[in-house]
């Protein structure tokens, strides 16, 4: 089976929404519909440094999504790319779809002059961590948050 990865277009929203909902269920969060609308609009706005890519199977079905944000860094002269969200349909797990989506984000980051790609996952996400430990270096940093 071949997977095609490309930028999500406005016409992909209906196929994207169930995967986005699955991602939220996995992380036990609820993102307000207004925020989802705003985020989708940002993905479609060429002036925004936010990107959404999708993995499509042979039948053209969207089976995985990834969101990335390009930003500056005080530590590096080049752009940095944050892979914020990655979700693959249950039926596609273990088939290389997640790794292909990460590779596509790395390509996108290079095309935009980024010198680093990074992401996070929850410490209990053992399945994803097996992949991440194989393809990337763990930074050792711990994330802290403060609601504003």
């Amino acid at each position: 089976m071949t997977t095609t990865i490309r930028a999500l277009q406005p016409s992909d929203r209906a196929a994207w929404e169930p995967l986005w909902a699955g991602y939220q269920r996995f992380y036990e969060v609820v993102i307000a519909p207004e925020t989802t609308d705003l985020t989708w609009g940002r993905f479609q706005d060429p002036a925004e440094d936010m990107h959404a890519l999708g993995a499509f199977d042979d039948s053209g079905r969207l089976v995985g999504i990834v969101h990335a944000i390009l930003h500056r860094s005080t530590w590096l002269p080049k752009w940095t790319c944050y892979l914020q969200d990655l979700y693959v349909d249950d039926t596609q797990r273990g088939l290389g779809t997640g790794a292909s989506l990460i590779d596509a984000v790395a390509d996108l980051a290079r095309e935009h002059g980024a010198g680093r790609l990074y992401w996070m996952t929850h410490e209990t996400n053992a399945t994803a961590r097996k992949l991440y430990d194989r393809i990337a270096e763990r930074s050792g940093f711990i994330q802290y948050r403060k609601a504003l």
Side-chain angles (χ1 to χ4, degrees):
M1 179 181 351
T2 345
T3 303
T4 302
I5 298 178
R6 65 166 173 79
L8 294 180
Q9 305 300 314
S11 60
D12 295 318
R13 178 152 184 184
W16 169 82
E17 284 185 0
L19 294 172
W20 181 230
Y23 179 83
Q24 292 175 60
R25 276 191 307 278
F26 181 83
Y27 279 110
E28 299 176 350
V29 298
V30 176
I31 297 173
E34 313 80 62
T35 302
T36 291
D37 289 342
L38 179 64
T39 297
W40 183 260
R42 288 175 175 163
F43 292 149
Q44 304 308 315
D45 183 348
E48 289 281 351
D49 285 323
M50 294 179 71
H51 303 269
L53 304 176
F56 295 82
D57 68 11
D58 289 337
S59 70
R61 183 173 70 100
L62 183 61
V63 296
I65 57 173
V66 66
H67 306 145
I69 302 168
L70 291 152
H71 64 87
R72 296 289 190 186
S73 169
T74 59
W75 288 21
L76 301 168
K78 293 183 172 188
W79 285 87
T80 299
C81 185
Y82 174 46
L83 188 159
Q84 186 165 18
D85 313 305
L86 173 66
Y87 186 77
V88 174
D89 183 85
D90 292 343
T91 63
Q92 301 298 304
R93 299 218 175 117
L95 301 178
T97 305
S100 294
L101 285 164
I102 293 169
D103 286 345
V105 172
D107 289 343
L108 174 85
R110 279 189 285 275
E111 288 168 15
H112 285 82
R116 175 180 291 158
L117 169 62
Y118 71 102
W119 62 91
M120 297 180 286
T121 194
H122 195 272
E123 64 189 348
T124 60
N125 192 355
T127 302
R129 289 180 63 193
K130 285 179 190 173
L131 168 64
Y132 303 159
D133 287 343
R134 192 176 77 241
I135 65 172
E137 174 185 317
R138 195 173 348 163
S139 70
F141 281 89
I142 299 170
Q143 182 192 46
Y144 290 87
R145 294 182 185 173
K146 183 175 176 74
L148 303 174

